[in-house]
Amino acid sequence: MIDKVKIVDTQILSDNWYLLRKITYEYVKKDGTKQIQSREAYDRGNGATILLYNEQQKTVILTRQFRLPTYVNGNSSGMLIETCAGLLDQDNPEDCIRRETEEETGYQIKDVRKVFEAYMSPGSVTEILYFFIAAYDKDMKVTDGGGLEQEEENIEVLEYPIEDAMNMITNGEIKDGKTIMLLQYIKLQGIL
């Protein structure tokens, strides 16, 4: 248990894309002694993600896009299947995910439901991710999706039966944490 955390020093190591800081802090341990530690924290802002599902068809909408960090860590193609997601920027989580859903998947969703929020990599990244689900049907498709060219997005929209998506977790085709969490949520809650 730690108590009385005090930030002693903060240094910006990089502000090229997002902020990487080295933070030195002091805290009081359970036995009353003080300890000083330094850690790096990557601040890329908070985000939101959503799983679109169709109850009648028992299908879900996912996306596929190139993710450089996976490529440099063993994903030979760099392509990752995942749920639609985006950074909040100046939005609240619900407005963000509505906008991102239309940009990335082409669906203009009606009712979104927040199901939980989580720190995804709390040892090094400050981000909180807000998780949503929403029903979709073909009538909600207003564009092809694919992301925004000015954001250099090149996103493929995918539709899978829920059982196929669950099997893709088991066989390693789906390796994205947020996607696995939302697919498991849909199954555990008996939504599909």
Side-chain angles (χ1 to χ4, degrees), residues 6 12 27 42 56 89 97 111 133 135-136 147 156 172 179 185:
K6 177 183 166 188
I12 295 176
Y27 64 89
Y42 191 56
Q56 291 74 36
D89 298 322
I97 206 57
D111 299 316
I133 59 172
Y136 78 95
E156 181 183 0
T179 304
Y185 179 86

Side-chain angles (χ1 to χ4, degrees), residues 113 115 133 182-192:
R113 184 173 71 168
V115 292
I133 59 172
L182 279 172
L183 287 168
Q184 289 178 340
Y185 179 86
I186 289 281
K187 288 297 283 184
L188 288 170
Q189 297 300 312
I191 295 169
L192 292 183

